[in-house]
Amino acid sequence: MEKRADGGLGDYIVRAAAANAKIRAFAATSRNLVEEARKRHNTSPVATAALGRLMTAGAMMGSMMKGDKDILTLRIQGDGPIGGITVTADSRADVKGCVVNPEVLIHANSKGKLDVAGAVGRGTLTVIRDIGLKEPYSGQIDLISGEIAEDITYYYAVSEQVPSSVALGVLMNRENTVRQAGGFIIQLMPDAEEELITALERHLSGITSITSFLDAGKSPEQILQAILGDFGLEILDKMSTRFYCDCSKQKVEKALLSVGKTELDDMIAAGEPVEVSCHFCSERYQFGVKELENIRNQMD
């Protein structure tokens, strides 16, 4: 597994099996990538929690894909004040994401916790897998809670007929930096017996929250051991995960080509440089008048 510049492993995902491969499991620690997203988008605590949960899910789900060019997109569109969340990830567990209204502020929920469900509201979760076919695979469900983990659990059950348990969590410090972030996805394979299903459900009912594991210093391996140790847990491999955006000035230039001649003519006529920022990472790219003219000339 790739080491980070700080000498540590950074954020990573563990892939595991249990019960003679009748259970497959993934667990992730994602504090660094969620903190990177918070800094780039200047997200409020509740927006950080919502985006961080979906990015953690995206990283784990992306790591399940096989092809080097496979891309997963998770899109939540709700009627809550956050407006919507979009995350993309690849099979290397490189992940990026953004929210429509990053600075949304709402009161805590009845349990005194960040009200992610209230920020998201009612709406849909769309999962798109582009694996190089003519048309990408797309599945959509209505949100059942807006808490994200429950919604992804429901998506797996309805759209992919895979019984799953998904936990996602983001814990914030008082100064609104990310204290802990991570999650797990545990899935039953088609040949799982009823007895195994019942035993696993009983075991999972005793789990409080993923952030309590992380805040107690538990690693992804230790979290899976606590949940699946009685089922013959076997750690298969580990994979680094990170916030990563593949935007570039060249790609933004292509986007400017798509705005149309009239709008480009107006930009050029204004005689001022134009700054364009990437939705996913907030990186800013500046184009001078000469560069805009060169882009405009490509359209003739």
Side-chain angles (χ1 to χ4, degrees):
M1 186 170 66
E2 174 195 353
K3 288 234 177 184
R4 296 301 183 206
D6 62 5
L9 292 173
D11 296 335
Y12 68 98
I13 298 165
V14 169
R15 186 170 66 94
N20 295 316
K22 292 175 183 176
I23 297 171
R24 74 169 184 169
F26 302 81
T29 176
S30 55
R31 190 199 73 81
N32 297 335
L33 71 86
V34 177
E35 174 64 10
E36 181 71 17
R38 181 199 69 78
K39 288 190 290 190
R40 285 180 177 271
H41 297 300
N42 193 30
T43 44
S44 68
V46 72
T48 303
L51 177 58
R53 289 180 191 181
L54 197 62
M55 287 180 70
T56 302
M60 288 189 286
M61 293 169 74
S63 75
M64 298 177 195
M65 299 189 300
K66 308 296 184 197
D68 288 343
K69 295 183 178 179
D70 292 355
I71 296 291
L72 170 84
T73 301
L74 302 176
R75 187 174 296 126
I76 286 178
Q77 292 170 295
D79 60 7
I82 207 167
I85 315 167
T86 302
V87 163
T88 75
D90 61 23
S91 59
R92 295 177 297 280
D94 285 342
V95 62
K96 60 187 178 182
C98 59
V99 299
V100 174
N101 297 315
E103 296 175 7
V104 61
L105 292 169
I106 61 172
H107 293 296
N109 63 22
S110 58
K111 295 178 181 176
K113 296 183 182 294
L114 293 169
D115 190 3
V116 170
V120 169
R122 296 180 180 179
T124 58
L125 165 68
T126 305
V127 178
I128 303 166
R129 285 189 181 87
D130 187 345
I131 56 173
L133 303 176
K134 280 188 178 179
E135 291 292 327
Y137 167 82
S138 180
Q140 186 178 87
I141 55 139
D142 290 331
L143 297 172
I144 59 165
S145 74
E147 292 285 355
I148 300 176
E150 293 170 15
D151 302 300
I152 291 173
T153 299
Y154 183 64
Y155 162 79
Y156 271 122
V158 172
S159 289
E160 300 196 9
Q161 289 78 51
V162 180
S164 306
S165 176
V166 181
L168 303 164
V170 175
L171 190 63
M172 303 296 290
N173 288 312
R174 288 187 180 276
E175 65 273 21
N176 290 336
T177 56
V178 179
R179 180 183 174 97
Q180 300 289 353
F184 65 72
I185 298 174
I186 295 171
Q187 298 183 321
L188 285 159
M189 297 296 98
D191 57 346
E193 303 93 349
E194 200 60 46
E195 294 163 12
L196 175 60
I197 296 168
T198 303
L200 181 59
E201 285 175 348
R202 188 165 54 243
H203 219 68
L204 287 166
S205 66
I207 304 300
T208 50
S209 73
I210 184 69
T211 48
S212 64
F213 276 127
L214 293 163
D215 213 35
K218 301 287 187 188
S219 66
E221 294 95 326
Q222 290 169 326
I223 291 169
L224 289 182
Q225 182 62 36
I227 300 168
L228 297 173
D230 293 344
F231 297 89
L233 178 70
E234 181 187 0
I235 301 294
L236 301 176
D237 59 31
K238 302 177 191 180
M239 175 186 289
S240 286
T241 180
R242 61 175 177 166
F243 184 103
Y244 175 76
C245 186
D246 58 351
C247 68
S248 64
K249 190 164 184 176
Q250 190 177 15
K251 287 186 176 181
V252 176
E253 187 176 310
K254 286 181 181 176
L256 283 172
L257 274 167
S258 68
V259 302
K261 294 179 182 179
T262 304
E263 197 165 334
L264 269 172
D265 285 338
D266 290 343
M267 292 178 191
I268 292 163
E272 297 286 338
V274 171
E275 190 174 81
V276 182
S277 65
C278 171
H279 288 304
F280 281 111
C281 69
S282 298
E283 192 73 37
R284 291 181 170 86
Y285 297 93
Q286 197 167 78
F287 293 84
V289 176
K290 273 283 182 201
E291 289 175 296
L292 293 172
E293 288 173 347
N294 288 339
I295 294 167
R296 173 65 177 82
N297 290 339
Q298 292 178 47
M299 304 173 83
D300 292 329

